[in-house]
Amino acid sequence: MATVAATKPTETPDEQTLREDLAAAYRLVAHFGWDELIFTHLSLRIPGPDHHFLINPLGLLFEEITASSLVKIDLQGRPLGDNTQPVNPAGFVIHSAVHAAREDAQCVMHLHTVAGTAVAAQRDGLLPLSQNALLGWDDLAYHDYEGLAVETGEKERLVADLGTHNLMILRNHGLLTVGATVADAFVRMFILQRACEMQVAAQAGGAPLIHQSDAMGHKVAAQGRAAFAAGAGLSWAALRRKLDRLDPDYRA
């Protein structure tokens, strides 16, 4: 079986390649059980000066998403091209805000996982209880809950809270990650989601918990950054191979 190469930030893939990569991410989110009916969103910017990006049409389950079903929209939410299906207003507000503000945030992923939202509802947020939590220690931001993300006024505050970070916990809401590629954003989401699952499991055990120090968090985060670029690309290539075995029609 052929190896699926990881997309590098320095490359400029064609739109079909980008569509297949994003459709693969949707199918993998469904595979891991991170989806929530037809809600939540993943988006991918198409290279160029116009900040056009791909996002899911409103009404399809993540397991139904294909490369051709993704909708291309502009920063005002207007569909472009042949597919003019509507998109979720909350998806547009969150994703257009980040894509407009961050040139490096080519891919934006936002999920409402059970463990992620459970941690988002905890006053102290993500705790230094696992290696997964420490890997993003210097890269995690928080955004306070403002209701359904359908008001454009929230964009400025969301972007300000995100800053230059690549991971975000939306209080009482869910998780968000960004990356220069789908691989980067997806692997960051995997690590963050696992950290939340580990925290909830550890808390459920009822025993006293070992909290690592802030200094250890900075150390592990620095170690993780050194290995992330290669690890994300290799992990994504492996996930694409898995998906090609299990669910290859995402490419259609």
Side-chain angles (χ1 to χ4, degrees):
M1 182 172 291
T3 298
V4 179
T7 301
K8 299 178 181 179
T10 53
E11 296 174 348
T12 305
D14 60 24
E15 185 172 320
Q16 179 61 24
T17 299
L18 294 173
R19 285 177 172 274
E20 291 180 10
D21 227 18
L22 186 59
Y26 274 100
R27 295 295 183 99
L28 287 164
V29 166
H31 173 76
F32 286 112
W34 299 342
D35 51 341
E36 187 177 45
L37 299 179
I38 62 170
F39 306 104
T40 74
H41 343 275
L42 321 177
S43 64
L44 183 60
R45 183 181 164 191
I46 296 171
D50 298 320
H51 289 77
H52 296 160
F53 61 94
L54 302 169
I55 197 166
N56 53 316
L58 183 61
L60 290 185
L61 297 169
F62 281 20
E63 66 192 43
E64 298 175 312
I65 297 291
T66 63
S68 60
S69 70
L70 293 165
V71 182
K72 179 164 58 174
I73 62 175
D74 63 18
L75 290 178
Q76 287 71 48
R78 295 175 297 215
L80 306 166
D82 296 331
N83 190 345
T84 58
Q85 288 183 262
V87 300
N88 190 325
F92 162 70
V93 168
I94 292 172
H95 292 256
S96 63
V98 178
H99 283 302
R102 290 272 301 270
E103 289 291 332
D104 61 317
Q106 300 293 310
C107 184
V108 181
M109 298 191 175
H110 169 50
L111 301 176
H112 299 167
T113 65
V114 174
T117 306
V119 170
Q122 296 183 14
R123 182 190 62 192
D124 295 328
L126 190 66
L127 302 173
L129 299 177
S130 68
Q131 180 168 277
N132 277 47
L134 299 180
L135 284 170
W137 198 245
D138 295 335
D139 207 16
L140 179 63
Y142 291 84
H143 176 64
D144 287 339
Y145 188 65
E146 298 189 25
L148 296 181
V150 294
E151 298 178 1
T152 56
E154 187 175 355
K155 288 184 177 186
E156 182 178 351
R157 294 181 292 277
L158 181 114
V159 166
D161 287 339
L162 181 62
T164 60
H165 298 90
N166 294 304
L167 314 172
M168 176 176 269
I169 291 178
L170 302 165
R171 298 282 191 184
N172 307 95
H173 186 173
L175 306 177
L176 183 143
T177 62
V178 305
T181 63
V182 173
D184 288 353
F186 192 94
V187 172
R188 285 185 175 122
M189 182 62 77
F190 186 94
I191 293 169
L192 180 58
Q193 167 64 13
R194 277 291 174 90
C196 292
E197 291 173 357
M198 292 169 182
Q199 178 167 318
V200 172
Q203 291 169 325
L209 301 176
I210 301 171
H211 289 236
Q212 291 298 316
S213 66
D214 193 54
M216 182 59 72
H218 294 311
K219 175 181 178 180
V220 175
Q223 292 172 328
R225 282 193 296 274
F228 179 79
L234 291 171
S235 295
W236 183 245
L239 286 167
R240 287 288 298 267
R241 294 196 301 272
K242 180 183 186 73
L243 191 60
D244 283 338
R245 293 192 297 270
L246 298 177
D247 202 10
D249 69 337
Y250 72 93
R251 294 178 179 273

